[in-house]
């Protein structure tokens, strides 16, 4: 694991140089410069850096960062929990320790055949942790929304939790993703309602807010619904609903392309947005646009969305990348500096995956 972190740092240094990324520079779920020290310390059983990281995001109201870091720390705790156990024992009322523990509880039960019943049992403790988090933090409520969604909560219960989340932060991306996925599962017209919800949220959000990418997530939901193909390599969806909404799906991708352009190339923070954008663009058969996003992504691969189609998300990404590069439509974009900066096909180093 330490070697993977060192490779991450080396990849970032190389991304700032003119030399294109090499095959073995590809990294799955690589932590950014703020999260990496917390994970290294946790691997040694130390919780201090994680506590300081999450306390800083809470103090500075960095809700999207807080959400992502809590998710990644909880994912790590599934395999190495000693540091979290110590943290909770020494500071049982720490809102950041409670947040990671709640996220871990939800994640542990998510893949169980008894998920519905297990999550129903933990909802009270997850909500209690959210209620102690203070009047401004939406992230624990996002965790409660995920628990309620997995437990098959009634609309009234889910809406109550949703109101708590958006009251604290009306543009928090994670809360909106949880609501979007709940809507997709509960609605009889999931495609149209998901797009309506996502487009409204994006239009009301500040410029460059992450929630402006919510229509892209809605497009992903539409394109991965039953009957729209097996994986990203199959091209565009085939259902009547997807054909009906094609202009809105393209508009969602265009909006996300603009948001991607606001971030530098090879930026770990923008990696999930760009990986999702590549997935959607390939399904829409917009291969030239997908090739450009692959160039901007650099070495950073995220498990989501590739784990939607395979148990090997890194392999899934590499296969799609190879298909995009082999597609004749890429020829027009394969000239000049764009082609020179594209990473080559190959194998990546796996970092412990986080959750989307």
């Amino acid at each position: 694991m330490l070697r993977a972190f060192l490779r991450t740092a080396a990849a970032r240094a190389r991304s700032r140089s003119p030399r294109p990324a090499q095959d073995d520079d590809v990294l799955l779920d690589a932590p950014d410069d703020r999260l990496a020290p917390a994970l290294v310390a946790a691997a040694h059983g130390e919780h201090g850096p994680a506590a300081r990281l999450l306390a800083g995001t809470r103090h500075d109201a960095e809700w999207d960062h807080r959400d992502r870091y809590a998710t990644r720390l909880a994912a790590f705790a599934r395999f190495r929990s000693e540091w979290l156990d110590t943290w909770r024992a020494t500071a049982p009322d720490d809102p950041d320790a409670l947040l990671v523990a709640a996220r871990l509880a939800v994640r542990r039960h998510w893949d169980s055949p008894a998920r519905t019943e297990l999550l129903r049992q933990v909802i009270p403790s997850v909500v209690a942790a959210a209620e102690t988090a203070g009047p401004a933090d939406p992230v624990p409520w996002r965790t409660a929304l995920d628990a309620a969604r997995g437990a098959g909560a009634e609309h009234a219960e889910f809406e109550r939790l949703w109101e708590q989340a958006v009251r604290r932060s009306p543009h928090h991306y994670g809360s909106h993703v949880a609501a979007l996925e709940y809507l997709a599962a509960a609605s009889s017209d999931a495609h149209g309602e998901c797009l309506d919800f996502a487009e409204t949220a994006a239009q009301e959000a500040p410029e460059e807010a992450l929630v402006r990418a919510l229509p892209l997530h809605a497009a992903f939901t539409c394109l991965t619904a039953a009957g729209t193909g097996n994986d990203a390599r199959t091209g565009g969806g085939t259902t009547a609903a997807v054909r009906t909404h094609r202009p809105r799906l393209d508009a969602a991708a265009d909006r996300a392309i603009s948001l991607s352009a606001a971030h530098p190339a090879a930026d770990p923070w923008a990696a999930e947005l760009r990986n999702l954008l590549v997935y959607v663009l390939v399904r829409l058969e917009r291969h030239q646009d997908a090739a450009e996003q692959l160039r901007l992504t650099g070495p950073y691969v995220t498990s989501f969305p590739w784990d939607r189609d395979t148990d090997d998300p890194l392999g899934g990404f590499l296969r799609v990348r190879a298909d995009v590069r082999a597609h004749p439509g890429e020829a027009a974009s394969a000239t000049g500096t764009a082609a020179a900066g594209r990473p080559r096909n190959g194998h990546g180093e796996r970092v412990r995956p986080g959750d989307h």
Side-chain angles (χ1 to χ4, degrees):
M1 182 185 62
L2 293 175
R3 184 167 65 91
F5 290 142
L6 292 173
R7 286 166 53 79
T8 302
R12 290 191 189 121
R14 286 191 288 272
S15 72
R16 292 189 287 268
S17 71
R19 187 177 67 82
Q22 299 299 309
D23 293 354
D24 60 357
D25 288 335
V26 178
L27 298 161
L28 180 66
D29 295 327
D32 65 17
D33 292 334
R34 299 171 67 185
L35 178 61
L39 290 174
V40 171
H44 289 93
E46 301 169 6
H47 67 273
R52 289 189 291 272
L53 173 64
L54 290 181
T57 60
R58 177 164 43 87
H59 180 269
D60 296 334
E62 296 178 295
W63 305 131
D64 289 329
H65 284 81
R66 178 173 176 78
D67 198 357
R68 186 175 295 186
Y69 293 154
T71 297
R72 294 294 302 277
L73 288 165
F76 185 84
R78 291 188 69 191
F79 304 95
R80 298 284 296 275
S81 64
E82 299 87 351
W83 61 278
L84 180 58
D85 296 336
T86 302
W87 187 6
R88 296 192 66 193
T90 57
D93 297 324
D94 187 310
D96 305 315
L98 290 172
L99 170 62
V100 177
R103 187 65 58 87
L104 174 59
V106 172
R107 189 70 199 109
R108 276 177 170 165
H109 296 322
W110 195 265
D111 296 326
S112 170
R115 178 179 74 184
T116 299
E117 182 58 32
L118 290 171
L119 288 178
R120 283 176 181 167
Q121 294 175 10
V122 304
I123 284 177
S125 62
V126 172
V127 171
E131 289 172 340
T132 65
D137 186 358
V139 181
W141 293 100
R142 183 266 166 95
T143 305
L145 288 169
D146 284 336
R149 178 168 61 89
E154 297 293 334
H155 291 347
E157 180 180 2
F158 193 89
E159 288 175 2
R160 181 179 65 83
L161 299 174
W162 166 253
E163 289 172 359
Q164 293 290 337
V166 296
R167 180 186 306 167
R168 287 159 172 80
S169 178
H171 307 299
H172 176 229
Y173 181 71
S175 298
H176 282 77
V177 169
L180 177 70
E181 293 178 345
Y182 180 86
L183 185 63
S187 173
S188 59
D189 179 23
H191 292 142
E193 291 192 22
C194 286
L195 289 167
D196 289 344
F197 172 76
E199 289 165 0
T200 299
Q203 290 166 3
E204 295 176 350
E207 195 71 24
E208 297 184 8
L210 188 57
V211 77
R212 290 178 67 86
L214 193 66
L216 181 71
H217 200 107
F220 168 79
T221 300
C222 294
L223 292 166
T224 54
T228 59
N230 295 324
D231 59 45
R233 292 176 295 159
T234 63
T238 58
T239 66
V242 171
R243 290 195 297 271
T244 299
H245 296 298
R246 176 62 193 249
R248 300 174 75 182
L249 302 181
D250 281 318
D254 291 339
R255 186 193 296 268
I257 287 172
S258 297
L259 192 60
S260 170
H263 297 275
D267 180 2
W269 174 255
E272 185 172 298
L273 167 66
R274 287 170 172 156
N275 275 250
L276 180 58
L277 182 52
V278 169
Y279 187 104
V280 169
L281 288 168
V282 170
R283 291 295 290 266
L284 294 175
E285 299 181 321
R286 293 174 54 175
H287 294 91
Q288 291 188 37
D289 289 332
E292 172 61 10
Q293 292 304 314
L294 283 170
R295 182 188 71 82
L296 292 173
T297 298
Y300 298 111
V301 184
T302 56
S303 290
F304 177 74
W306 311 108
D307 56 5
R308 166 62 174 72
D309 301 322
T310 176
D311 292 332
D312 177 19
L314 182 57
F317 168 84
L318 293 173
R319 288 190 294 273
V320 169
R321 190 178 70 171
D323 288 347
V324 169
R325 292 177 176 177
H327 196 277
E330 191 187 15
S333 63
T335 58
T337 57
R342 289 189 193 128
R344 300 171 185 168
N345 197 7
H347 302 284
E349 186 76 30
R350 184 174 184 125
V351 180
R352 290 194 184 278
D355 300 326
H356 59 268

